[in-house]
Amino acid sequence: MDILTIDNYSVSYDGQRSAVDGVSLSVSRGEIVSIVGESGSGKSTLLHGMLGLLPKGAATRGRLALFGREISEMPAGERRALCGSRVSMIFQDTGRYMNPIARIGAQYDEFLRIHGMRDGAARRDLQREMLLKLHLTDPERVLRAYPFELSGGMRQRVGIAMAMSLKPELLLADEPTSALDVTVQAQVIRQMLELRESTGTAIVLVTHNIGVAAYLSDRIGVMQRGRLVELGDSQELIEHPKHPYTRGLLEAVVEIDDERLIANHG
Amino acid sequence: MDDALLELRGLSKTFDMGKGERLRAVRDVSLAVRRGESLGIVGESGCGKSTIARMVAQLTEVTGGQILFDGRDVTNLPRGRRRELWRRVQMVFQDPYSVFSPRMTVGDFLTEGLVHFGIASRAKARERLPELLARVELPPELAERLPHQLSGGQQQRVVIARALSIQPDLLILDEATSALDVSVQRQILKLLMRLKAELGLTMLFIGHDLAVVRSVTDRIAVMYAGSLVEQLPSDRLVETAAHPYTRRLLDSVFSTGDRGRKQIAIEDLSLIEKGRQLAGCPYQPRCAIATGICSGTCPSLTAVGENHSIACFARQGEELQ
């Protein structure tokens, strides 16, 4: 069964051009799908729609179902219960969604408790286990820290640790590494891949970095002005892009082994 | 170096963080940019690459060492003499919108430099607008627009056109294409390369994206935690980079051909912050090949090949054998 089914889904804001326009996509268990596109392509709006996080005034059409249940018909309580346990989300700067005046440990503990972990000792063990799994080698220090005391890369690892704690069936990631330094980005991407292998979590990743999408995904979707113009097996799409927009996008990427743009002289 | 347009000699910058704490943002950097050359500086956030640019442009004070421009000492110029330097050194930053005045037309913005430096009267400068815009491949009618009416790529083109309007000798680009979409980024990079060839510009190209910096430079300087750790020709970056940090940067680059195959070593991130406070090599806490000497002494840049130097005890030994 598909975890996520999107059928002819559109999002628009009062009379404006559709931000998302007739997108169809389904994601199966354990699959990693990346949505790539340039700014304004609608890729983030699509992801926010999947969690029912669209701003007020957004009008949607078409079907968007999680685990076979239409998200717009779900009571708010049921949707909230789903978020965190079966579906998790990470953002570009996870730190911004943390409470700045509460210690990481307190926030992490509350998150686990709300999602049904009654046993305090088990909650503490799980926190340490997850932080260690993400190579935060001094979990006690991390749990005692306030968000501002950690580097951006460490906060992002905490965010991923929290998001993965309850072994969600679906992880939605919106540019999760775009604000990180390149060496840290590479490690976080690697860890997302490992977590899929160990927990079977399906991932939908929104990114502008086509190299990251190619590395991580089974399938890649390309969005342009709200439309999903191409969707396919990631190797196939990169080696044999069919849509002219995809071709243009791939040609524009500056690669480390490309012919250089500067003329050699001397 | 005889043909150096810009030369940094043991340049340092220390910020006083209060409570007796000091941050060494740039540590003893020596580096030369030759006339007509495009030199890249790469590194991650906090490595000091932008601080170097800001010291050269007199936007922040130098706390140690010297800056030579065209053979003359321009370290911490007094206020009254900075204009002379700005006439010859121009800078382009990451966010074009932030340098515009929101109510100023593109035409007024573009001619400001010419008028300010007394190169042309306001009227004469306006006559040159179509030419200035054409140089960056923009149509003349854009002169009447306001900055928010332009796309990000058009804004950056206008900023470049203004920097070049006064015919500077050195153009410093600090993450100038980092905020742009990939297709726009490539257009701007190509434009810069065309202008460089046509105008004989010398360029200092600062960025975090190794692939981008490599594509538009002759040589690359790699910085880590305030120190210069490697310098090498851009066209041999992938094959000959020897410093363990440069190798790590290269291993962190995702190419569309990668497909999940390459191995990425996972590090303890708390080590990254430790390096800066050490007396020895700043990369030592993260380094797989560090030995005893690395924690006590900071290696200095040593030649290991033609136009290639590294600051690494372990690798220097290997390369020279």
Side-chain angles (χ1 to χ4, degrees):
Chain A
M1 186 196 75
D2 289 332
I3 286 186
L4 174 71
T5 314
I6 302 172
D7 188 20
N8 203 13
Y9 181 73
S10 300
V11 180
S12 59
Y13 299 100
D14 359 85
Q16 301 271 355
R17 179 175 67 81
S18 295
V20 174
D21 190 1
V23 169
S24 297
L25 166 75
S26 53
V27 178
S28 53
R29 215 163 274 285
E31 189 184 26
I32 302 183
V33 179
S34 289
I35 309 288
V36 300
E38 300 192 295
S39 47
S41 63
K43 58 191 192 301
S44 283
T45 305
L46 177 64
L47 198 74
H48 283 80
M50 293 177 197
L51 259 191
L53 289 177
L54 293 171
K56 280 203 170 64
T60 64
R61 274 183 294 116
R63 224 168 81 78
L64 200 159
L66 282 171
F67 312 108
R69 298 263 288 123
E70 178 62 38
I71 197 160
S72 60
E73 289 161 11
M74 243 182 242
E78 190 184 334
R79 209 168 58 209
R80 269 200 300 276
L82 208 63
C83 295
S85 51
R86 296 182 76 188
V87 185
S88 261
M89 187 151 181
I90 48 174
F91 303 90
Q92 182 165 340
D93 180 7
T94 303
R96 246 179 55 203
Y97 297 87
M98 290 178 178
N99 180 350
I101 56 164
R103 293 181 197 274
I104 300 283
Q107 303 189 43
Y108 202 159
D109 195 65
E110 185 186 11
F111 168 78
L112 296 178
R113 195 173 44 77
I114 286 172
H115 288 289
M117 278 188 77
R118 298 256 169 81
D119 181 351
R123 288 201 300 270
R124 277 191 294 279
D125 288 346
L126 181 60
Q127 289 171 32
R128 277 156 194 74
E129 182 197 321
M130 288 305 295
L131 293 178
L132 283 170
K133 200 170 191 173
L134 281 140
H135 287 254
L136 290 158
T137 48
D138 188 355
E140 301 305 329
R141 197 200 125 211
V142 172
L143 292 169
R144 267 197 316 273
Y146 290 96
F148 74 87
E149 293 178 301
L150 302 180
S151 68
M154 289 173 84
R155 277 204 299 266
Q156 204 63 347
R157 282 195 188 174
V158 171
I160 294 173
M162 283 173 74
M164 301 302 290
S165 291
L166 302 165
K167 297 191 169 58
E169 290 156 80
L170 177 63
L171 178 69
L172 303 174
D174 188 7
E175 302 273 10
T177 61
S178 303
L180 303 178
D181 273 331
V182 288
T183 59
V184 179
Q185 157 170 289
Q187 297 177 46
V188 169
I189 293 296
R190 177 83 211 167
Q191 288 177 320
M192 287 174 69
L193 199 58
E194 281 166 6
L195 286 165
R196 186 265 296 261
E197 269 140 41
S198 64
T199 60
T201 300
I203 301 173
V204 178
L205 171 79
V206 160
T207 180
H208 70 277
N209 188 326
I210 298 159
V212 166
Y215 177 80
L216 195 60
S217 345
D218 303 310
R219 283 191 297 154
I220 295 177
V222 180
M223 283 189 76
Q224 180 200 21
R225 294 177 190 216
R227 301 188 70 89
L228 188 64
V229 296
E230 186 161 357
L231 172 70
D233 169 79
S234 72
Q235 190 172 355
E236 178 65 21
L237 181 134
I238 278 161
E239 288 172 10
H240 310 287
K242 289 185 183 65
H243 196 278
Y245 180 75
T246 311
R247 277 202 290 276
L249 201 60
L250 286 166
E251 277 164 19
V253 178
V254 178
E255 305 248 35
I256 194 79
D257 50 1
D258 269 357
E259 195 176 324
R260 292 181 316 134
L261 300 168
I262 191 172
N264 269 321
H265 55 74
Chain B
M1 198 180 288
D2 297 339
D3 56 349
L5 178 64
L6 177 73
E7 196 177 344
L8 314 179
R9 290 188 183 161
L11 192 67
S12 295
K13 173 72 185 184
T14 306
F15 287 103
D16 189 354
M17 307 298 280
K19 294 182 191 162
E21 257 186 79
R22 295 165 58 183
L23 176 77
R24 295 165 75 189
V26 176
R27 293 165 69 165
D28 196 22
V29 168
S30 295
L31 183 72
V33 191
R34 298 180 195 122
R35 242 171 261 280
E37 181 186 41
S38 170
L39 179 83
I41 303 184
V42 294
E44 299 179 286
S45 53
C47 73
K49 57 190 190 299
S50 293
T51 307
I52 287 183
R54 295 178 60 82
M55 285 192 281
V56 172
Q58 312 286 319
L59 300 173
T60 190
E61 202 192 336
V62 174
T63 53
Q66 269 187 315
I67 301 171
L68 277 81
F69 183 76
D70 206 2
R72 290 188 328 179
D73 189 341
V74 296
T75 319
N76 294 336
L77 284 175
R79 203 168 280 276
R81 291 195 41 217
R82 289 179 198 163
R83 254 172 66 109
E84 292 167 47
L85 185 75
W86 290 335
R87 167 73 183 75
R88 303 185 59 190
V89 178
Q90 285 283 303
M91 248 181 114
V92 174
F93 299 95
Q94 177 168 347
D95 176 13
Y97 194 72
S98 68
V99 300
F100 282 99
S101 171
R103 319 250 292 179
M104 194 184 227
T105 63
V106 166
D108 286 340
F109 176 83
L110 255 181
T111 50
E112 220 178 24
L114 288 168
V115 175
H116 174 79
F117 287 104
I119 296 165
S121 67
R122 190 162 294 279
K124 285 273 180 232
R126 287 204 76 87
E127 283 173 24
R128 290 189 50 197
L129 274 173
E131 167 209 330
L132 292 175
L133 285 163
R135 184 186 271 171
V136 291
E137 297 152 8
L138 291 175
E141 57 270 24
L142 247 59
E144 304 313 316
R145 303 266 174 85
L146 290 169
H148 74 265
Q149 295 169 316
L150 308 184
S151 69
Q154 288 174 327
Q155 286 172 4
Q156 199 61 307
R157 283 173 192 264
V158 172
V159 171
I160 292 166
R162 179 164 95 150
L164 297 180
S165 68
I166 60 168
Q167 293 179 280
D169 299 300
L170 175 66
L171 184 65
I172 302 178
L173 301 135
D174 189 1
E175 300 277 12
T177 64
S178 305
L180 304 172
D181 276 329
V182 286
S183 55
V184 182
Q185 168 172 273
R186 178 173 280 261
Q187 289 166 14
I188 301 280
L189 293 172
K190 282 167 109 169
L191 170 73
L192 283 168
M193 290 304 98
R194 203 199 79 214
L195 292 170
K196 181 184 176 297
E198 281 174 17
L199 307 172
L201 279 173
T202 305
M203 283 185 13
L204 187 57
F205 194 99
I206 295 165
H208 71 283
D209 186 323
L210 222 52
V212 166
V213 175
R214 173 189 166 276
S215 76
V216 293
T217 53
D218 299 299
R219 285 189 304 135
I220 289 184
V222 182
M223 289 193 66
Y224 183 77
S227 298
L228 188 56
V229 296
E230 183 157 15
Q231 243 190 103
L232 74 172
S234 307
D235 59 354
R236 290 167 49 213
L237 170 73
V238 181
E239 298 78 18
T240 61
H243 195 284
Y245 177 64
T246 314
R247 295 295 346 162
R248 177 136 246 327
L249 277 180
L250 281 166
D251 289 343
S252 302
V253 172
F254 290 99
S255 300
T256 52
D258 276 339
R259 272 303 278 129
R261 300 297 158 250
K262 78 170 169 194
Q263 279 301 317
I264 297 160
I266 308 291
E267 298 175 282
D268 177 354
L269 292 186
S270 57
L271 295 179
I272 295 180
E273 286 132 70
K274 275 191 192 143
R276 204 183 276 280
Q277 291 126 35
L278 300 174
C281 172
Y283 191 63
Q284 174 252 319
R286 293 172 75 180
C287 185
I289 58 169
T291 58
I293 186 174
C294 305
S295 56
T297 318
C298 195
S300 51
L301 219 55
T302 305
V304 291
E306 202 192 342
N307 283 324
H308 188 182
S309 50
I310 55 172
C312 172
F313 291 122
R315 283 273 185 265
Q316 271 161 221
E318 283 171 30
E319 301 275 324
L320 291 172
Q321 265 166 25

